[in-house]
Amino acid sequence: MSRRAGLTNGAEKQPPAPAKDNAQSKQAMLLSQDSGHFSLIRALHLADLITELNGFCGFMSILSSMRYCLADPNDLTNLWLAFGFMPFGLFFDFFDGKVARWREKSSLMGQELDSLADLVTFGVATAAAGFAMGFRTNVDQIFLAFYVLCGLTRLARFNVTVAMLPKDKTGKSKYFEGTPIPFACLMSLTVMATCAWFGWIHEDIPLGTILGGTDLEFHPIGVIFLVNGILMTSRTLHVPKP
């Protein structure tokens, strides 16, 4: 008997894989088949719709930052709106998981939606607000881009490794690898909101700039985005889940 045949027979003796969760099977069917009009909408669970609200908050925050850049810089209304949408996004990000566990309906699509919404709200929107309030030099923009790309990479790593992380009795992962992107957003947002509250924006950002008048000019306080990016992608930093 050949080794290939032996492996085949051994595989046949293994117990069958458990059946998929009914909710996931139904969603997979709606997504993979031509199930009529609005099949994608019908495939969404309630938790997925709440996740969409997280993405909505992020998008509105980005628009608010853009409106601030186009308006009178002394009118901080749109800047505060940009800041304010982020905590609402955090609320929806927290609430969608609660709803998914309450209804006992989770899916791979929901996991992907959650990561994409997090990237918009806690990654791109945060960087856009930083640019709007005055972190606009070439190096500042590199810091902001680094922050967003680290958030993107961290979310991708989470989706790949979440099944391999140690779980508690409820099936939740015991810890995060690296700081979660919502936490990184809150750290950056705290610094930005404090500066805006005291009017420390644009030319008045604390600590001024280094290497002024050169292509390497940057705001030292903007290093907060660099630090948050590094913490998000850390493999050895384990943050316990609440």
Side-chain angles (χ1 to χ4, degrees):
M1 182 181 294
S2 68
R3 292 184 180 181
R4 182 184 297 271
L7 290 173
T8 302
N9 290 339
E12 290 175 351
K13 294 178 182 179
Q14 293 178 356
K20 290 184 177 180
D21 177 77
N22 290 335
Q24 291 196 29
S25 298
K26 180 180 178 181
Q27 187 179 67
M29 179 192 69
L30 289 171
L31 292 173
S32 62
Q33 297 180 1
D34 184 8
S35 304
H37 298 296
F38 307 110
S39 59
L40 175 60
I41 303 300
R42 289 187 285 114
L44 296 176
H45 298 153
L46 178 59
D48 299 335
L49 296 175
I50 296 174
T51 303
E52 299 275 6
L53 291 176
N54 176 13
F56 170 79
C57 289
F59 180 67
M60 293 305 297
S61 176
I62 294 170
L63 290 185
S64 297
S65 293
M66 294 171 64
R67 284 195 295 267
Y68 174 72
C69 290
L70 296 173
D72 179 5
N74 295 317
D75 183 0
L76 303 184
T77 302
N78 284 311
L79 185 61
W80 283 112
L81 283 174
F83 294 157
F85 276 113
M86 296 179 208
F88 280 104
L90 181 62
F91 168 77
F92 290 123
D93 183 51
F94 174 79
F95 194 53
D96 62 3
K98 292 290 186 182
V99 171
R101 287 187 289 273
W102 166 55
R103 292 175 59 86
E104 297 183 349
K105 287 187 177 181
S106 60
S107 65
L108 291 176
M109 183 175 178
Q111 177 178 301
E112 298 298 328
L113 276 175
D114 190 71
S115 292
L116 292 170
D118 284 357
L119 179 63
V120 173
T121 304
F122 309 125
V124 180
T126 304
F131 179 87
M133 69 171 291
F135 295 101
R136 301 183 183 182
T137 70
N138 292 335
V139 177
D140 288 342
Q141 293 176 54
I142 292 175
F143 288 166
L144 295 174
F146 180 81
Y147 170 83
V148 173
L149 294 177
C150 285
L152 172 63
T153 305
R154 190 227 177 275
L155 290 167
R157 181 183 67 186
F158 175 80
N159 287 350
V160 171
T161 63
V162 63
M164 296 178 283
L165 294 176
K167 303 292 192 298
D168 59 17
K169 295 180 180 179
T170 64
K172 291 174 56 179
S173 301
K174 291 184 177 180
Y175 57 79
F176 295 105
E177 282 187 343
T179 54
I181 191 170
F183 179 78
C185 168
L186 286 179
M187 288 182 63
S188 303
L189 179 60
T190 300
V191 173
M192 292 189 293
T194 300
C195 290
W197 178 261
F198 289 103
W200 300 334
I201 58 176
H202 301 299
E203 292 82 6
D204 298 323
I205 291 178
L207 305 181
T209 61
I210 293 178
L211 302 176
T214 70
D215 291 336
L216 299 178
E217 180 181 5
F218 70 96
H219 292 88
I221 199 172
V223 173
I224 185 68
F225 296 102
L226 188 67
V227 172
N228 278 326
I230 294 172
L231 292 177
M232 281 192 289
T233 53
S234 171
R235 184 71 184 275
T236 57
L237 177 61
H238 292 171
V239 180
K241 275 197 169 184

Short mmCIF file of all heavy atoms in Angstrom, two decimals, residues 8 49 56 82 106 117 126 164 181 198 201 208 214 222:
data_model
loop_
_atom_site.label_atom_id
_atom_site.label_comp_id
_atom_site.label_asym_id
_atom_site.label_seq_id
_atom_site.Cartn_x
_atom_site.Cartn_y
_atom_site.Cartn_z
N THR A 8 -4.87 8.54 2.87
CA THR A 8 -6.28 8.70 2.51
C THR A 8 -7.18 7.90 3.43
O THR A 8 -8.20 8.36 3.92
CB THR A 8 -6.50 8.25 1.05
OG1 THR A 8 -5.65 9.02 0.22
CG2 THR A 8 -7.94 8.44 0.64
N LEU A 49 -25.30 45.67 11.23
CA LEU A 49 -25.86 47.00 10.97
C LEU A 49 -25.32 48.01 11.99
O LEU A 49 -25.07 49.18 11.65
CB LEU A 49 -27.38 46.95 11.03
CG LEU A 49 -28.05 46.08 9.95
CD1 LEU A 49 -29.56 46.02 10.18
CD2 LEU A 49 -27.76 46.63 8.56
N PHE A 56 -20.07 54.74 9.68
CA PHE A 56 -20.72 56.01 9.38
C PHE A 56 -20.12 57.14 10.21
O PHE A 56 -19.84 58.23 9.70
CB PHE A 56 -22.22 55.90 9.65
CG PHE A 56 -22.96 57.21 9.59
CD1 PHE A 56 -23.32 57.77 8.38
CD2 PHE A 56 -23.30 57.88 10.75
CE1 PHE A 56 -24.00 58.98 8.32
CE2 PHE A 56 -23.98 59.09 10.72
CZ PHE A 56 -24.33 59.64 9.49
N ALA A 82 -15.52 66.61 14.26
CA ALA A 82 -14.62 65.52 13.85
C ALA A 82 -14.18 64.71 15.06
O ALA A 82 -14.14 63.47 15.01
CB ALA A 82 -13.41 66.10 13.12
N SER A 106 -22.91 35.41 15.00
CA SER A 106 -21.66 36.01 14.58
C SER A 106 -21.28 35.41 13.24
O SER A 106 -21.77 34.34 12.87
CB SER A 106 -20.56 35.76 15.61
OG SER A 106 -20.35 34.37 15.77
N ALA A 117 -14.59 48.96 9.55
CA ALA A 117 -15.17 50.13 10.21
C ALA A 117 -14.18 50.73 11.20
O ALA A 117 -14.06 51.96 11.31
CB ALA A 117 -16.47 49.74 10.92
N THR A 126 -8.98 59.55 12.57
CA THR A 126 -8.06 60.12 13.57
C THR A 126 -6.93 60.88 12.89
O THR A 126 -6.57 62.00 13.29
CB THR A 126 -7.48 59.00 14.44
OG1 THR A 126 -8.55 58.27 15.04
CG2 THR A 126 -6.59 59.57 15.54
N MET A 164 -6.42 31.61 16.97
CA MET A 164 -5.32 30.90 17.63
C MET A 164 -4.99 31.46 19.00
O MET A 164 -4.19 30.89 19.73
CB MET A 164 -4.07 30.96 16.74
CG MET A 164 -4.25 30.24 15.40
SD MET A 164 -2.78 30.36 14.35
CE MET A 164 -2.95 32.04 13.74
N ILE A 181 -6.80 49.28 18.18
CA ILE A 181 -6.83 50.56 17.48
C ILE A 181 -7.80 51.56 18.12
O ILE A 181 -7.52 52.76 18.10
CB ILE A 181 -7.13 50.36 15.98
CG1 ILE A 181 -6.88 51.66 15.21
CG2 ILE A 181 -8.52 49.81 15.75
CD1 ILE A 181 -6.92 51.50 13.70
N PHE A 198 -7.49 74.35 24.52
CA PHE A 198 -6.70 75.50 24.95
C PHE A 198 -6.26 76.38 23.78
O PHE A 198 -5.51 77.34 23.98
CB PHE A 198 -5.46 75.02 25.71
CG PHE A 198 -5.77 74.45 27.07
CD1 PHE A 198 -5.77 73.08 27.28
CD2 PHE A 198 -6.07 75.29 28.14
CE1 PHE A 198 -6.06 72.54 28.53
CE2 PHE A 198 -6.36 74.77 29.39
CZ PHE A 198 -6.36 73.39 29.60
N ILE A 201 -3.48 75.05 18.42
CA ILE A 201 -3.58 74.42 17.12
C ILE A 201 -2.80 75.25 16.10
O ILE A 201 -2.43 76.39 16.36
CB ILE A 201 -5.05 74.28 16.67
CG1 ILE A 201 -5.74 75.64 16.63
CG2 ILE A 201 -5.81 73.32 17.59
CD1 ILE A 201 -7.17 75.58 16.11
N GLY A 208 6.07 73.62 19.47
CA GLY A 208 6.43 74.17 18.17
C GLY A 208 6.89 73.11 17.19
O GLY A 208 6.35 72.00 17.17
N THR A 214 12.85 73.54 6.89
CA THR A 214 13.45 72.50 6.07
C THR A 214 12.40 71.46 5.70
O THR A 214 11.28 71.47 6.22
CB THR A 214 14.60 71.79 6.82
OG1 THR A 214 14.06 71.00 7.89
CG2 THR A 214 15.56 72.82 7.41
N GLY A 222 3.64 65.42 17.56
CA GLY A 222 3.08 64.49 16.58
C GLY A 222 3.65 63.09 16.68
O GLY A 222 3.12 62.15 16.07
#
